[in-house]
Amino acid sequence: MDIQPGKPVKTFRPRPSRGWFSLVIMAVILLAVGAAPALALGLASSSAALTLIIVVPVALAFLILAFWFPTMRYELDQGQITLRYGPVLTYRIPLSEIRTIRRRNLSLTIWSTLRFPGIALFKVPYADVGDVKMCATAALSNILLIETEKEKYGLTPADENKFVDAVRTHMEA
Amino acid sequence: MSPIYIMAVVTLAASVALWGGLIYFLTGRQKRYFWLLLLGLPLSAIANYLLKPQAIIAVGRAAQVQPGLGLAAPVWFLAFQVLLSPLVEEPVKVLPLLLGPARTMLASRTSALWVGFALGVSFGLGEAAVVAFGVAQSGAYDFLPWYAFTGFFNERVMTCFAHGVMTSALVVGMQRGGRFILYGFLGALGLHLFLNAPTVMYQIQWISATVYNFSLLVPFVVLAVVFERMRRAARDSKKDDDGKEVVYWQRQYTEEHN
């Protein structure tokens, strides 16, 4: 448990998954598709070069996200829940704004966004509940959905009961 | 052996995995649609080697249009050739519904959507093989290694999806019956023409090759939007996860008890 002076913070880890592997696979696929024309035609080919220019940064982004996978965590303090993923994702949920906390399965849409087996990040559209701000190690199954007036957040704490009890205790305090 | 055949195998495997996976996960892990992926495999060859050439020859002879004119042919004949693909392919894609076991799967709009999608993907798989065969026959690209054909890979994988969407529109219309059959056919026809628009514009030299390559994305994005809307409209009314939702806390309930 992390303790900051005047602001005790409980940190909860997400459910284990191989989401990092999904991100690495995506990067490899992108690099393969992007590199193949360059290997075959050489960089003198403008279309091969353009493909590389587009694909390589995207593939690198996936690799960087995979590198940050172990940093996913959920922090609970007196006033809010903070969902974190590396330096790129920080969602703050004020406890006073929470309307419901429920666990459910979510329905796919064909829009991929950043949703792969074992990981879902940023805003993901779902067919049944709409857009959800995700910071989770699962995309569809057993998602803990926290709803406020304006937003929905999806997370997957490893010890869900302990997390929910801690949140309820803080809200009722 | 032409190197494109290797990429064709990779393309077919990737398409089956990707679009078969989409069917599996979006239908709630149902496997009953998978066998439909086999039914449409020969249909593209039938459409492209038998039906369409015969139609062009027949109409050309009737109108006394000389063969081999290319873009120099009369405008109405060019328009006919553009319309021919959707006019022939859309009905051909639903021919497997003549089979009883396939037809009995059209019990609801949702199942009709997925039957149509699977049949369309199947047609697309066969079409990828037809295109690969055509490229191999020309021999023009035999000097390239197999991994150079990523353009073929990208286009064919996405075209399988596109055929799935178009056939979904038609089959959902057929399932609803009445005037919706016509609406479904016209919808599929319109989507097909929209998908082919960049190719036509490139062939008549309205756009360059670079613009053509990037413009291919637009119809696919539109088709994805259309398919998602069709899917939402066709969804059964029951909740996705009956009895599986657990409500831990609800503010309104808590306030009433306080």
Side-chain angles (χ1 to χ4, degrees), chain A residues 32-33 36-37 39-41 47 50 54 95-105 107-111 125-128 140-142 144 160-161 164 168 171-172, chain B residues 7 22 25-26 29 114 143-145 147-148 150 153-154 161 210 213-214 221 223-225 227-228 231-232 235 239-241 244-252 254:
Chain A
V33 171
L39 285 172
L41 304 171
S47 59
L50 189 61
I54 293 170
L95 296 180
S96 59
E97 293 182 15
I98 293 176
R99 287 172 50 192
T100 61
I101 302 174
R102 51 189 171 133
R103 189 226 311 144
R104 60 171 291 165
N105 296 332
S107 290
L108 265 181
T109 65
I110 62 172
W111 304 112
Y126 289 97
D128 43 2
L140 299 175
S141 300
N142 294 316
L144 191 68
E160 187 174 274
N161 290 332
V164 171
R168 283 158 69 170
M171 285 199 292
E172 290 161 6
Chain B
M7 186 54 93
L22 190 82
F25 285 108
L26 289 185
R29 301 175 189 256
W114 290 112
F143 66 97
L144 289 172
Y147 49 84
T150 51
F153 175 88
N154 294 335
F161 172 76
T210 305
N213 285 329
F214 284 103
V221 172
L223 282 164
V225 171
F227 185 66
E228 188 58 23
R231 197 174 75 86
R232 292 193 191 197
R235 274 162 62 88
K239 284 171 63 173
D240 287 310
D241 51 331
K244 291 182 188 170
E245 183 177 271
V246 174
V247 179
Y248 285 116
W249 190 86
Q250 198 163 353
R251 184 173 292 279
Q252 195 175 16
T254 303

Side-chain angles (χ1 to χ4, degrees), chain B residues 28-121:
Chain B
R29 301 175 189 256
Q30 293 185 52
K31 297 179 186 174
R32 62 194 185 107
Y33 299 101
F34 286 169
W35 73 284
L36 297 168
L37 292 174
L38 295 171
L39 297 184
L41 291 177
L43 297 180
S44 179
I46 293 170
N48 286 290
Y49 288 122
L50 195 64
L51 299 175
K52 287 197 280 190
Q54 292 301 318
I56 291 171
I57 290 169
V59 171
R61 277 190 189 147
Q64 294 180 332
V65 176
Q66 290 183 12
L69 286 177
L71 293 177
V75 170
W76 69 266
F77 192 71
L78 293 175
F80 163 72
Q81 287 182 297
V82 170
L83 275 173
L84 190 61
S85 271
L87 280 174
V88 169
E89 291 182 5
E90 295 310 319
V92 163
K93 282 192 274 183
V94 297
L95 283 178
L97 292 179
L98 292 173
L99 298 171
R103 208 164 48 248
T104 54
M105 292 178 76
L106 303 181
S108 67
R109 280 175 69 176
T110 302
S111 56
L113 182 99
W114 290 112
V115 166
F117 187 78
L119 290 177
V121 167

